[in-house]
Amino acid sequence: NAGVTQTPKFQVLKTGQSMTLQCAQDMNHNSMYWYRQDPGMGLRLIYYSASEGTTDKGEVPNGYNVSRLNKREFSLRLESAAPSQTSVYFCASLRDRGNQPQHFGDGTRLSIL
Amino acid sequence: KQEVTQIPAALSVPEGENLVLNCSFTDSAIYNLQWFRQDPGKGLTSLLLIQSSQREQTSGRLNASLDKSSGRSTLYIAASQPGDSATYLCAGSNYGGSQGNLIFGKGTKLSVKP
């Protein structure tokens, strides 16, 4: 039971570099989400995707882009990384029929120097 | 805009004690409220989800309540164990389905001492 899988688990970047965080779920969920978790700030929504081919901004979208490649995969891209984007990034998915909880991956710990 | 607050930020109790974690929210038009557990270096694990039409949910030693009129939810943990040590997060959603974006509190870090 893999659930939600995020890669990589850890990454260190230099300011200005780009990278893509990968997320895949094997639960046939329609909706997928990207959050960031910062000390003292809690989790905040970056982007979400209600279905394949659709994406919408969350609370803190600036500096990020996303792609819903297919129903399983939802990637988050940092085009030009900044130190303020140092954070732990979580991907989640949701079976949006009925009142169901979101399922979370184990996170990607990203440091930008 | 929905805001979620958790107090206290940290709590330390001896093993065996019953305890209550508190969560408050500002918008009573809440669709559901969820409690999660987060272990260090790990993702979030859903513990309980309470729909707006419900007053409480139970799972094993855990009981979560929801009072929309007062804007409060509590997570009751009975007979606490060292394995319960973790950060507990509550999150509210004002909509269902794919639009049900979660608004999180900052969490309560629980330490249960043997």
Side-chain angles (χ1 to χ4, degrees), chain A residues 70-90:
Chain A
N70 48 54
K71 191 170 186 178
R72 290 187 64 248
E73 299 172 291
F74 188 36
S75 62
L76 178 72
R77 183 162 178 82
L78 286 71
E79 291 290 353
S80 178
S84 61
Q85 294 178 305
T86 293
S87 188
V88 182
Y89 291 86
F90 288 101

Side-chain angles (χ1 to χ4, degrees), chain A residues 31 37 40 48 99 101 109, chain B residues 32 38 41 46 51 98-99 106:
Chain A
S31 302
Q37 184 176 36
Y48 70 99
N99 229 325
R109 283 143 188 84
Chain B
N32 66 43
Q38 185 176 27
S46 178
Q51 301 177 36
S98 62
Q99 303 300 316
K106 296 178 182 179

